[in-house]
Amino acid sequence: MANALDATDGAEAPRIGLSARRGGDRVFIEVRDNGPGFGESERERLFEPFFTTKDSGGGLGLGLAISAGIARDFGGSLSATNLVEGGALFVLDLPLAAASENADA
């Protein structure tokens, strides 16, 4: 969400969308924006530590790398693509949590 806010900063009509859906035993959380998106070389490096498209002082380039690592640790993934209509789409894919015997606790 923070990256989507940054991407739409200064846009004439900024839009950010957040959605979640279940697909079998997985959940998909999507964040989309109408910012500038990113070039192919940028997209390939988005999840590398210390890579950032922000101006100096605007970020360390660790947020997406850490987020992708956490997703992997939980059996999921984090991906990004440009939208045809412009902007970016990030998808967090995670397995559903197993039901707990002590769900009321």
Side-chain angles (χ1 to χ4, degrees):
M1 288 299 295
N3 286 342
L5 286 168
D6 289 342
T8 58
D9 186 37
E12 185 175 315
R15 288 188 324 273
I16 296 173
L18 177 64
S19 63
R21 62 184 166 80
R22 182 177 175 174
D25 63 348
R26 307 201 64 83
V27 65
F28 302 91
I29 301 169
E30 299 180 350
V31 178
R32 63 182 62 228
D33 65 59
N34 68 336
F38 27 77
E40 187 60 30
S41 62
E42 293 172 330
R43 191 184 65 75
E44 291 174 1
R45 299 188 61 207
L46 282 177
F47 301 105
E48 291 179 13
F50 303 108
F51 176 76
T52 184
T53 60
K54 297 175 185 172
D55 294 334
S56 179
L60 295 175
L62 290 174
L64 290 174
I66 291 170
S67 297
I70 292 169
R72 274 190 307 274
D73 288 347
F74 282 95
S77 65
L78 179 62
S79 60
T81 189
N82 283 320
L83 295 167
V84 174
E85 63 273 18
L89 169 67
F90 285 81
V91 180
L92 177 61
D93 167 7
L94 293 170
L96 288 174
S100 171
E101 289 181 29
N102 197 7
D104 294 330

